[in-house]
RNA sequence: CGGGGUGUAGCGCAGCCUGGUAGCGCAACUGCUUUGGGAGCAGUGGGUCGGGAGUUCGAAUCUCUCCACCCCGACCA
């Protein structure tokens, strides 16, 4: 491809409404253009990348024996009423009506359609297991689309669905899919983690999210440095501390703390180690509880894990923090002065709090704290539970290694659905036993367009994008220096371009009559992995210049045999 | 949905407070020069100032209203 005939429209300035680097770079390179909130066009440049990702997904799915198909994007409401999701799916479901007044949706996902096909076409266990997939534009009417294609309303998704005679078969396909997904993200050149996820209310057994690791990720994940354990921070179990509670060494004292209403203020004003403080959070109690409110205790430097808290039977679901008025009315002190001693509501302590001694906490009187508190001696130890978020350095729940924290971008999700949809829609087959069996299902998603943005988040520098080679829009950039004036340069560049193209390499040949700096900057901005510069200077010595996008060093390569030399440098 | 903010040329912005018919940088176009890290000079084109209504002799500017977009939160995954 020559730049003179390719639609290359780059911008030096960063658009004002792009927050994260992938969005900024996708706009500056011209890969995408916004049509309206959360809806984007892909330019020829962006589309090349999107297709690369799509093809890797397709090839690996096909290789595993899964069957590609294409389902309608527009679906009749009846199907959604059948599973109850016409009402339950919520505002993300884009509903529309045809001229006859019939209701439709623009598909945000395709469980209903595929289950309808399955119940019509699958009759016998002999047809199972079977896995269908498609790569298609989805629409979810996000409340707040943002970050460009990272969280768009219209996006490209690979969605797959498997059907089985029993749970064992589902489990087998699920773990195969786990491997297929790992291969896909590896092939795309991305650093990722498979993360255990919340299987949620649907009741399916297993669920994993695949996260591309990037500092700007919306999800926090915890993973072990000594095993392949990884979990969403919400789900990462914290093991009880191994040590015994130390014996008391201090007396309990009631101290005036007029200006300390947060742990931070307390620690600063009294020069306390933060690990010696206890935070008291008050939430609504479960209806079965004798009290309206319940207190949750975590160490001053820890944070409450709301997912863990809400799972406790004593705590109301959904979790709701008590208002300041409720706290004052019930306890008689403000939220900045609460603690377990002489507390008139039930309380649950995090396991880390249970092994503390000589600690500091609120006195349940405004502007006063108790110092030197000890369990049993000053106040009975309450119920103990795992309440806090894991932190860096906690032992891994599987007993191997320590936890590290990282941020991730969710690009894939695999899920054992069970029979939720097949039951609702009566998708059954005859088994070997001659009886009807409701088919357990799995569903498997990959955010294809989101991968493009995630790849940029993970692979960029201050000059622009540094594409992993398998998803780069072009692999080699050929840049002639001052070609207008030099026949030799022009001829050498044309020849290299022709040779590489002939060899099946995707080359972008910059034949614009622009200054070298413009070429360098554009090619670096759009992130082409390999660059070859051809100039008079080098040709005099029979040399070309080669540079890897991620390197800052030029390398001279002989003009003679340059094609072979360059081909050897391409990866994959 | 609640709170905050912004809409002026393709992009980034000034002008608005204090009303007098629109400007800067980049980009684009033409010519000449230039050509190893976003060139220089000269010239050119491009804006119903988000829409509507009102106040006024006169509105980008003041008032009302609608719309769009962005940010924070809630919601959703």
């Amino acid at each position: 491809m020559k730049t003179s005939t390719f639609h290359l429209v780059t911008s030096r300035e960063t658009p004002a409404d792009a927050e994260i680097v992938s969005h900024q770079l996708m706009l500056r390179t011209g890969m995408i253009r916004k049509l309206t909130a959360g809806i984007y066009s892909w330019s020829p440049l962006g589309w090349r990348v999107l297709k690369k990702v799509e093809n890797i997904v397709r090839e690996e799915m096909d290789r595993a024996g899964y069957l590609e198909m294409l389902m309608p994007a527009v679906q009749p409401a009846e199907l959604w009423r059948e599973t109850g999701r016409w009402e339950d799916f919520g505002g993300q479901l884009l509903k529309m009506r045809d001229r006859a007044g019939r209701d439709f949706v623009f598909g945000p996902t395709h469980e209903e359609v595929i289950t309808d096909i399955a119940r019509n076409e699958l009759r016998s266990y002999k047809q199972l297991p079977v896995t269908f997939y498609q790569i298609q534009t989805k629409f979810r009417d996000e409340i707040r689309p943002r970050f460009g294609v990272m969280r768009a309303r219209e996006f490209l998704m690979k969605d797959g669905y498997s059907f089985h005679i029993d749970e064992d078969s589902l489990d087998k396909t699920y773990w195969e899919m786990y491997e297929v997904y790992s291969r896909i993200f590896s092939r795309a050149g991305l650093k990722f983690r498979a993360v255990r996820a919340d299987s949620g209310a649907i009741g399916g057994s297993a669920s994993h999210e695949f996260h591309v690791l990037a500092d700007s990720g919306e999800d926090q994940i915890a993973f072990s440095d000594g095993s392949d354990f990884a979990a969403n921070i919400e789900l990462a179990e914290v093991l009880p501390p191994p040590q015994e509670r130390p014996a008391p060494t201090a007396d309990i004292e009631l101290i005036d703390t007029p200006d300390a209403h947060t742990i931070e203020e307390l620690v600063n004003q009294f020069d306390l180690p933060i690990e010696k403080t206890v935070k008291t959070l008050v939430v609504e109690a479960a209806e079965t509880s004798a009290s309206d409110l319940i207190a949750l205790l975590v160490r001053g430097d820890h944070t409450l894990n709301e997912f863990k808290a809400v799972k406790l039977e004593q705590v109301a679901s959904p979790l709701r923090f008590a208002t300041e008025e409720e706290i004052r009315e019930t306890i008689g002190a403000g939220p900045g002065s609460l603690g377990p001693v002489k507390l008139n509501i039930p309380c649950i302590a995090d396991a880390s709090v249970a092994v503390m001694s000589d600690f500091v906490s609120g006195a349940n009187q405004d502007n006063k704290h108790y110092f030197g508190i000890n369990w049993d001696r000053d106040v009975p130890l309450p119920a103990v539970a795992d309440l806090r978020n894991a932190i860096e350095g906690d032992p891994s729940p599987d007993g191997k290694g320590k936890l590290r924290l990282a941020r991730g971008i969710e690009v894939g999700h695999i899920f054992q659905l069970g029979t939720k949809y097949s039951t609702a829609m009566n998708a059954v087959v005859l088994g070997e036993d001659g009886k009807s069996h409701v088919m357990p299902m799995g569903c498997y998603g990959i955010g294809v367009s989101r991968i493009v943005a995630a790849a940029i988040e993970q692979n960029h520098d201050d000059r622009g994008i540094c594409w992993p080679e398998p998803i780069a829009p072009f692999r080699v950039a050929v840049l002639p220096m001052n070609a207008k004036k030099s026949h030799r340069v022009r001829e050498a560049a044309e020849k290299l371009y022709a040779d590489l193209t002939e060899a099946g390499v995707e080359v972008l040949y910059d034949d614009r009559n622009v200054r070298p700096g413009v070429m360098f900057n554009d090619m670096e901005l759009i992130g082409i992995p390999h660059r070859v510069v051809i100039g008079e200077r080098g040709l005099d010595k029979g040399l070309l210049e080669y540079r890897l996008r991620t390197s800052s060093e030029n390398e001279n390569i002989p003009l003679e045999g340059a094609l072979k030399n360059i081909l050897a440098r391409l990866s994959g």
Side-chain angles (χ1 to χ4, degrees), chain A residues 253-262 265-266 269-270 324 328 331-339 360-371:
Chain A
E253 269 185 286
L254 186 62
I255 305 283
D256 285 331
T257 54
D259 299 316
H261 301 289
T262 65
E265 287 166 355
L266 190 68
Q269 288 169 31
F270 293 87
E324 178 157 1
R328 285 204 173 278
I331 303 173
S337 308
L338 303 179
V360 178
S361 195
N364 304 316
Q365 304 171 43
D366 276 334
N367 307 321
K368 288 181 196 299
H369 281 76
Y370 281 115
F371 284 47

Side-chain angles (χ1 to χ4, degrees), chain A residues 67-86:
Chain A
L67 307 174
E68 185 172 12
M69 60 181 295
L70 184 61
M71 290 180 258
V74 175
Q75 309 170 17
E78 289 78 72
L79 232 38
W80 287 71
R81 294 205 172 96
E82 209 176 327
T83 57
R85 291 210 291 182
W86 178 258

Side-chain angles (χ1 to χ4, degrees), chain A residues 363-414:
Chain A
N364 304 316
Q365 304 171 43
D366 276 334
N367 307 321
K368 288 181 196 299
H369 281 76
Y370 281 115
F371 284 47
I373 305 172
N374 281 278
W375 295 116
D376 296 337
R377 186 191 72 184
D378 307 318
V379 55
L381 184 64
V384 174
D386 174 17
L387 283 180
R388 69 173 173 93
N389 285 315
I391 56 173
E392 190 97 18
D394 278 338
S396 176
D398 65 358
K400 296 172 202 152
K402 288 186 169 163
L403 289 184
R404 298 267 163 264
L405 298 185
R407 301 204 75 87
I409 299 164
E410 185 188 341
V411 290
H413 199 163
I414 60 175

